[in-house]
Amino acid sequence: YPPGMFASGFRDTFDVGPPLGSGHFATVYTAVEKKTGTQFAVKVFKKQRSAEATRTQGLQQEIAMLMSVSHPNVLCLKGTYEEDDGVYLVLELAPEGELFNYIIKYQKLREPETRKIFKQLLNGLKYLHDRNIVHRDIKPENILIIDKDLHVKLADFGLAKIIGEDSFTTSLCGTPSYVAPEILEPSGQRRYSRAVDIWSLGVVLYICLCGFPPFSDELFSEKNPFNLSQQIRMGRFEFPSPYWDTVGDAALDLIEKMLMVDPMKRIKVDAALDHPWIKDKSWIDPHDSCNSLADAIENLGFVRRTVVQTRTLLAEAPGLANPASQNPSKVKVVPNQQNGARGGNPKAGNVDKFSKKPDNLDPQTKA
Ligand code: ATP
């Protein structure tokens, strides 16, 4: 490591509290600085793993990245220590945990609170992108909530990489549901840059507003014969009723602009911050009145809008063109019991943690 990157004397400086959770490489605990009583989170890479992990570029990258950033919406690294039993990263504490759990708790969020969260996330992302830092793993698990006022921070730069304006990177990474289409292109065409973060944030925005993901293998059916990767590469997704009926058009417009397959056409962070949905100052949401149960039942199975950007992948599935995609207006959905199952434990699967599938999302043209 660069000299001085790790200090010693962690246990002289901090009292370690209960664990907050663990990931693939590390366990995170609360920690209190003895001198000030300030609470932190400490990410501990244990010795047997840290010997390997610290040798990898990943951890050094994460450390260098975290130490160089300072923004209210980016989780900051306060210090790094190395002890006999492992490597300790002292981080800002996010007492309210992951956005992931917040969405699970409330199932979906309303527009005003989603807007409040996304203004901050876009500001954090602008800070990173202005410094040529691409996060590369934006997902609700990596968005941490600081307080009950919904102050949020982008966290976990384990996969982040500094890239130049003209440079690009070709390593395949990220979490399947959130990866941008250009990352899924056959190697050689896998040129991508900061636009991948906008795509992932677009997926998170979609999930916040309805509680299920835009792209999912769970949506695979006879009438939607596209797997997760194909859906992403085609930019094929829907805003099914009644889930999207109460969401304003501006939100749908921003999602569509963030989920543009062509990274050159995809909205940039500055333009996203200027988008009317983000700029909207009204706290009272005109679309907030819930549909009556009768309305919901009447509308169940309709698709408010279907987005298909490229049909190139249809060649891979000849004769399986989706009728819903040919008529993006209201399309009647025939209930399909077999495909109506919900996903169970949302944290169980790696691919689609928000595996809740909207009931009966099996579009067919109205007879
Ligand atoms: P992965 O390998 O899956 O990316 P990881 O080894 O990087 O995981 P994390 O997932 O970052 O570890 O953290 C493990 C747990 O600790 C998660 O539940 C996360 O929400 C929690 N956590 C991480 N950082 C903080 C923090 N600063 N404040 C509060 N909780 C945190």
Side-chain angles (χ1 to χ4, degrees), residues 290-357:
C290 252
N291 278 357
S292 69
L293 183 62
D295 280 352
I297 291 168
E298 168 65 19
N299 280 330
L300 186 69
F302 283 93
V303 176
R304 177 169 165 187
R305 200 184 293 183
T306 298
V307 181
V308 184
Q309 295 168 55
T310 162
R311 297 189 147 262
T312 51
L313 289 171
L314 289 177
E316 294 175 19
L320 290 176
N322 187 345
S325 65
Q326 287 157 15
N327 178 10
S329 58
K330 272 203 164 181
V331 176
K332 179 72 175 164
V333 176
V334 174
N336 180 340
Q337 297 305 325
Q338 269 146 22
N339 287 314
R342 289 178 185 268
N345 176 5
K347 250 198 151 165
N350 186 34
V351 174
D352 280 314
K353 291 179 178 177
F354 289 97
S355 51
K356 186 178 88 168
K357 173 187 171 179

Side-chain angles (χ1 to χ4, degrees), residues 132-321:
N132 288 335
I133 299 170
V134 182
H135 187 295
R136 299 209 300 180
D137 197 22
I138 291 179
K139 53 185 174 181
E141 296 91 322
N142 287 338
I143 296 166
L144 297 180
I145 305 176
I146 302 300
D147 55 32
K148 298 258 187 254
D149 280 341
L150 282 181
H151 288 112
V152 294
K153 296 191 187 235
L154 286 167
D156 203 344
F157 289 76
L159 295 170
K161 194 165 190 175
I162 293 179
I163 61 156
E165 196 63 50
D166 300 321
S167 59
F168 61 88
T169 173
T170 55
S171 60
L172 182 57
C173 65
T175 306
S177 296
Y178 302 91
V179 294
E182 58 269 32
I183 297 179
L184 298 172
E185 286 303 312
S187 75
Q189 294 170 43
R190 245 191 269 137
R191 295 168 179 240
Y192 57 91
S193 65
R194 62 202 74 179
V196 300
D197 288 339
I198 294 289
W199 176 280
S200 304
L201 212 50
V203 174
V204 178
L205 177 56
Y206 181 105
I207 290 172
C208 283
L209 290 172
C210 69
F212 52 85
F215 310 105
S216 165
D217 275 329
E218 290 262 319
L219 301 175
F220 190 93
S221 72
E222 197 185 321
K223 299 296 166 196
N224 177 13
F226 309 110
N227 63 26
L228 175 69
S229 161
Q230 289 170 322
Q231 291 166 28
I232 293 171
R233 287 165 64 202
M234 293 169 76
R236 186 203 186 287
F237 63 98
E238 288 171 344
F239 296 107
S241 288
Y243 310 94
W244 285 91
D245 290 355
T246 55
V247 181
D249 282 337
L252 274 64
D253 184 71
L254 178 57
I255 290 169
E256 286 176 12
K257 290 188 159 86
M258 294 177 89
L259 297 182
M260 290 294 285
V261 169
D262 183 347
M264 301 298 283
K265 292 189 187 144
R266 198 173 304 151
I267 195 167
K268 309 275 185 297
V269 71
D270 287 301
L273 276 163
D274 266 343
H275 188 277
W277 185 76
I278 290 289
K279 289 259 167 193
D280 189 344
K281 292 213 170 14
S282 60
W283 179 251
I284 306 297
D285 188 351
H287 304 281
D288 215 16
S289 61
C290 252
N291 278 357
S292 69
L293 183 62
D295 280 352
I297 291 168
E298 168 65 19
N299 280 330
L300 186 69
F302 283 93
V303 176
R304 177 169 165 187
R305 200 184 293 183
T306 298
V307 181
V308 184
Q309 295 168 55
T310 162
R311 297 189 147 262
T312 51
L313 289 171
L314 289 177
E316 294 175 19
L320 290 176

Side-chain angles (χ1 to χ4, degrees), residues 20-26 28 41 43 75 92-94 98 144 156:
L20 289 162
S22 30
H24 289 107
F25 305 108
V28 180
K43 194 167 183 173
L75 196 84
E92 267 182 281
L93 180 68
E98 301 172 2
L144 297 180
D156 203 344

